[in-house]
Amino acid sequence: LAHDDDGDFIEPADFFAIVVMVPIDFLRLAQARWIGSTSDSRDELLPFASVSFTVDAMRDDSHAISPGASALSVGIDSFYRSLSWIGSRWPSADPARYGIHVVQDVAYGLDSPMHRLDVWVPSKFPAPRPSLLYLHGGGFRILSKETHWIMALSFARRGYVVFNANYRLAPQHPFPAPLQDACLAYQWVVQNAHRYGADVQRLVLAG
């Protein structure tokens, strides 16, 4: 059985993050460093990327990968979304099990499906609680807050009010759009964290 640094058992959801999500991030890094440009010919170097592992029930067009993305990016995005969805079905992944209330798709400034965040409130911890703004990985091109629910859950279980945000993705929205959205989300959290029992004076940035 796996243990964390404190000697506690690692929940299956945490184990899922370690053995599945981290390797996928390394794969994404490998694409950028060793494969380089994701032209159609180079996509063939990773043939599995052309296979869609997507589960229809977890697809959400408002958070879909940006139009114009390469076949490799689409494949990795679909694979990652599917694994995240499967992991979220486990009983140990239910936020209610840990006394966590999730407020989904809160607008953080603009009237756009990409400018939404989920708020994870750990009700078992006394307010005001430390706050955390989480920005998902994916090279500003793929994935979403839905694929990174495990990170929000992990932080919320430790007493943080987590603001897990989406943002615009390239190539449809190239640099600096994602960074502008990150700043907008940060500003929103600073102004609204108190509404969820969060202490903005103890605000952590993670991603």
Side-chain angles (χ1 to χ4, degrees), residues 109-132:
L110 298 177
D111 186 17
S112 165
M114 295 308 299
H115 295 96
R116 299 286 186 272
L117 55 79
D118 297 339
V119 185
W120 296 61
V121 182
S123 58
K124 289 185 177 181
F125 291 82
R129 312 169 185 93
S131 52
L132 185 145

Side-chain angles (χ1 to χ4, degrees), residues 21-114:
M21 301 183 78
V22 172
I24 293 296
D25 276 339
F26 274 106
L27 179 61
R28 199 72 185 89
L29 177 62
Q31 175 203 351
R33 178 163 296 181
W34 299 313
I35 300 179
S37 174
T38 54
S39 63
D40 292 339
S41 61
R42 295 191 178 192
D43 283 340
E44 296 175 0
L45 294 175
L46 292 177
F48 78 86
S50 63
V51 180
S52 175
F53 294 86
T54 303
V55 179
D56 290 339
M58 52 119 346
R59 296 298 290 180
D60 185 341
D61 291 338
S62 66
H63 302 149
I65 188 171
S66 178
S70 70
L72 178 59
S73 292
V74 172
I76 293 176
D77 183 82
S78 296
F79 180 71
Y80 206 170
R81 286 173 183 265
S82 299
L83 287 178
S84 297
W85 182 86
I86 293 171
S88 71
R89 303 302 97 183
W90 295 359
S92 62
D94 183 3
R97 176 176 178 173
Y98 311 101
I100 299 170
H101 175 61
V102 183
V103 183
Q104 295 182 312
D105 291 328
V106 179
Y108 65 80
L110 298 177
D111 186 17
S112 165
M114 295 308 299

